[in-house]
Amino acid sequence: MSAESGLRDRLEGGLTAPICLTWELTYACNLACAHCLSSSGRRDPHELSTSEALALVDELAAMRVFYVNVGGGEPMIRRDFFDIVEHAVERRVGVKFSTNGTRLDAAAARRLAAMDYLDVQVSIDGADAATNDRVRGAGSYAAARRAMDHLAAAGFAGFKVSVVVTRDSVEQLDALESLAASYGAQLRLARLRPSGRGVAVWDALRPTAAQNRRLHAWLVERPHVLTGDSFFHLSPLGAPLEGLNLCGAGRVVCLIDPVGDVYACPFVIHDRFRAGNVRASGFGPIWRESALFAELRAPNSPGACASCASYDACRGGCLAAKFFTGLEADDPDPECVFGHGERRLATTRVELRPTPSIDHSRVRALGAPGRLR
């Protein structure tokens, strides 16, 4: 057994604490991005209070969670945003937070730049306003660029420019890399999943098979571009990408949503993958004892991928991508590079694709971009 496969087997069995978890602080958002994984827009009146959020930070620190990915919605909309983030930093819980930039002014940038154990990701979905704003809403590109300007002026070195790879943005990878470099920032790419509002636009926005092949080759040549293990489904195309290259849902990652519900990963906000609520038990017992996480950590069967020689490279792909397109957990990824997933979908009768259990969109027509307010 190689050291790499031994580590993968250990991680697939789950850890005593997640390496990282995503914490959506609020469903409130002043944008309505077409692919929003949490269908954000309206604040949930039952979201965790400041005292509950600070207590959760203390629990994560006691468990030695390495870092949290703070998101939303737009996390900076919460009035206690800095109280929560600064408390996490004081407890030595690293924070990586994603923002659309609309609330990140010069004063906020200076405050962020003064903190340790903190990283910032500014989200855009195109190298120009025309491409980005089709997905994220009119004015959103300009707002994100202003936020980047403020971070650079405040001396915040190495912030991230975070891009969801779509059929349009994949054609702008070189320009996006140059944009990040112009700020001394790092480019971070994420896979488009059919989650949240992304269910409605996935067929139209996801890269083509040819684009995915070019994306893989581009990433192999650029190990400095961050991916967060988004693209391990492309590994059978050749050299593996940097990272763990496995589905970490319920094993090394999970999601805590604004009301304290815990899900297996940020891309499966659905009752099927809800493990519990931190208000009822705290986070630790859910992570250690939930029946859902035990199920996900059990040795899994290759299922329909058993005869594929590349199964060890991709491990069957993304759980969320399969679930929200109507496939089973042991089916091939719908974007399998050999086309097995597409053929499976063609022969599987899907009466109705699953949709997120709760929709917080302000705009009822899913996929309709919003405007800045």
Side-chain angles (χ1 to χ4, degrees):
M1 177 186 294
S2 69
E4 180 181 347
S5 62
L7 175 61
R8 185 180 63 200
D9 290 344
R10 181 184 175 194
L11 295 176
E12 285 185 330
L15 300 177
T16 56
I19 292 175
C20 69
L21 62 83
T22 297
W23 183 4
E24 309 287 27
L25 287 187
T26 184
Y27 284 125
C29 192
N30 54 340
L31 299 185
C33 300
H35 54 33
C36 178
L37 64 92
S38 58
S39 301
S40 286
R42 293 173 288 111
R43 175 183 173 271
D44 191 304
H46 303 293
E47 66 186 27
L48 298 179
S49 67
T50 302
S51 61
E52 288 174 320
L54 297 181
L56 179 57
V57 169
D58 290 339
E59 185 179 12
L60 299 179
M63 291 178 66
R64 298 187 178 181
V65 172
F66 186 55
Y67 68 89
V68 295
N69 290 314
V70 170
E74 171 48 51
M76 295 189 76
I77 284 178
R78 276 191 67 138
R79 294 178 180 178
D80 57 2
F81 168 78
F82 277 104
D83 296 328
I84 296 169
V85 169
E86 288 170 347
H87 185 64
V89 168
E90 288 169 1
R91 294 301 312 274
R92 299 295 192 266
V93 177
V95 174
K96 298 185 179 184
F97 86 91
S98 298
T99 177
N100 59 35
T102 58
R103 301 297 179 96
L104 208 168
D105 58 17
R110 289 192 295 270
R111 191 169 179 179
L112 294 168
M115 295 186 206
D116 293 325
Y117 303 105
L118 178 76
D119 199 8
V120 181
Q121 296 181 166
V122 181
S123 298
I124 60 173
D125 285 316
D128 53 66
T131 304
N132 174 88
D133 291 6
R134 282 197 296 272
V135 175
R136 302 184 66 84
S140 58
Y141 180 81
R145 291 296 300 270
R146 284 194 298 271
M148 294 179 204
D149 291 340
H150 292 318
L151 288 169
F156 196 118
F159 67 87
K160 309 298 186 289
V161 177
S162 183
V163 180
V164 175
V165 177
T166 67
R167 197 165 296 183
D168 293 328
S169 65
V170 74
E171 299 296 339
Q172 300 180 327
L173 294 178
D174 290 338
L176 288 163
E177 184 181 28
S178 296
L179 172 63
S182 72
Y183 285 102
Q186 284 186 284
L187 180 62
R188 182 183 186 278
L189 302 182
R191 180 183 178 184
L192 175 72
R193 268 91 162 189
S195 305
R197 284 196 290 271
V199 170
V201 299
W202 192 71
D203 289 324
L205 291 184
R206 66 187 177 105
T208 65
Q211 287 176 325
N212 272 328
R213 286 194 293 272
R214 295 200 301 272
L215 169 63
H216 176 265
W218 193 88
L219 287 171
V220 167
E221 294 176 356
R222 292 165 176 82
H224 59 279
V225 173
L226 306 176
T227 64
D229 286 305
S230 281
F231 303 103
F232 66 93
H233 66 297
L234 303 181
S235 294
L237 289 170
L241 301 175
E242 294 291 313
L244 299 176
N245 284 310
L246 58 84
C247 174
R251 296 161 168 161
V252 297
V253 301
C254 66
L255 167 79
I256 302 175
D257 85 346
V259 301
D261 283 335
V262 179
Y263 295 90
C265 96
F267 302 101
V268 286
I269 302 178
H270 188 278
D271 288 343
R272 166 67 180 85
F273 297 102
R274 179 181 176 276
N277 186 282
V278 299
R279 280 183 169 131
S281 64
F283 174 71
I286 296 172
W287 178 257
R288 293 189 297 268
E289 302 166 12
S290 89
L292 171 67
F293 288 171
E295 173 191 343
L296 292 173
R297 293 165 188 167
N300 55 348
S301 165
C305 299
S307 62
C308 181
S310 295
Y311 174 75
D312 280 343
C314 73
R315 309 300 289 180
C318 173
L319 175 69
K322 288 187 272 193
F323 179 73
F324 283 119
T325 51
L327 293 173
E328 299 295 330
D330 59 357
D331 280 332
D333 190 290
E335 291 187 289
C336 166
V337 298
F338 303 120
H340 299 319
E342 289 190 1
R343 286 190 288 274
R344 188 75 170 178
L345 281 170
T347 58
T348 301
R349 185 177 181 181
V350 179
E351 299 292 344
L352 184 66
R353 286 185 185 177
T355 57
S357 298
I358 303 174
D359 180 15
H360 300 273
S361 302
R362 288 180 291 109
V363 181
R364 302 314 304 170
L366 296 186
R371 292 183 177 274
L372 296 180
R373 292 183 177 177

